[in-house]
Amino acid sequence: MLNNDCVFCKIIRGEIPSSKVYEDDVMLVFKDIEPKAKVHLLAVPKDHFKLLSEADDGRAAALSHMLSVIPSVAAENGCAGGYRLIINQGDDAGQTVFHLHIHILGGEQLPW
């Protein structure tokens, strides 16, 4: 279920434009508008939830699907040499959009 006030839900519904690089029934991947690396993509489940701890069986299946698709999406978008995945969880981790999402960073040698 999508949330009316969530920026990622609005992107999923097409109300806010994005630079989409992949979409299927489960997820959307688009370019981050404030990239932290040469390639910075966001993989977003189409079901709105904030934290991994909220992942019931259906959401866990969606996350599994996302993790199976991300390697090919990353490779097709300039990350053939490797990439980093980040999932921020909550305020202390720096989560600013409260719709679970996976950052895909790469396209260059990343600092630790």
Side-chain angles (χ1 to χ4, degrees):
M1 178 175 220
L2 295 176
N3 179 304
N4 287 333
D5 297 323
C6 171
V7 66
F8 288 167
C9 290
K10 289 177 181 181
I11 290 170
I12 291 165
R13 286 193 301 266
E15 296 170 7
I16 295 175
S18 67
S19 297
K20 295 179 188 179
V21 299
Y22 178 85
E23 182 173 16
D24 64 24
D25 292 341
V26 174
M27 65 187 284
L28 175 66
V29 182
F30 53 94
K31 294 180 181 179
D32 193 298
I33 62 169
E34 295 180 11
K36 306 296 186 228
K38 184 176 178 184
V39 175
H40 188 167
L41 307 173
L42 298 174
V44 180
K46 289 191 171 178
D47 182 23
H48 177 90
F49 62 105
K50 176 181 175 180
L51 302 168
L52 288 170
S53 60
E54 299 172 3
D56 56 18
D57 289 343
R59 289 172 172 166
L63 290 168
S64 176
H65 170 76
M66 292 174 67
L67 292 173
S68 72
V69 170
I70 284 172
S72 61
V73 172
E76 292 167 4
N77 285 277
C79 297
Y83 54 92
R84 180 176 297 156
L85 300 179
I86 300 171
I87 303 175
N88 296 318
Q89 293 286 277
D91 295 325
D92 287 352
Q95 186 176 10
T96 57
V97 177
F98 300 110
H99 181 131
L100 189 131
H101 53 286
I102 302 172
H103 294 264
I104 305 165
L105 300 161
E108 62 186 330
Q109 182 74 44
L110 298 172
W112 176 244

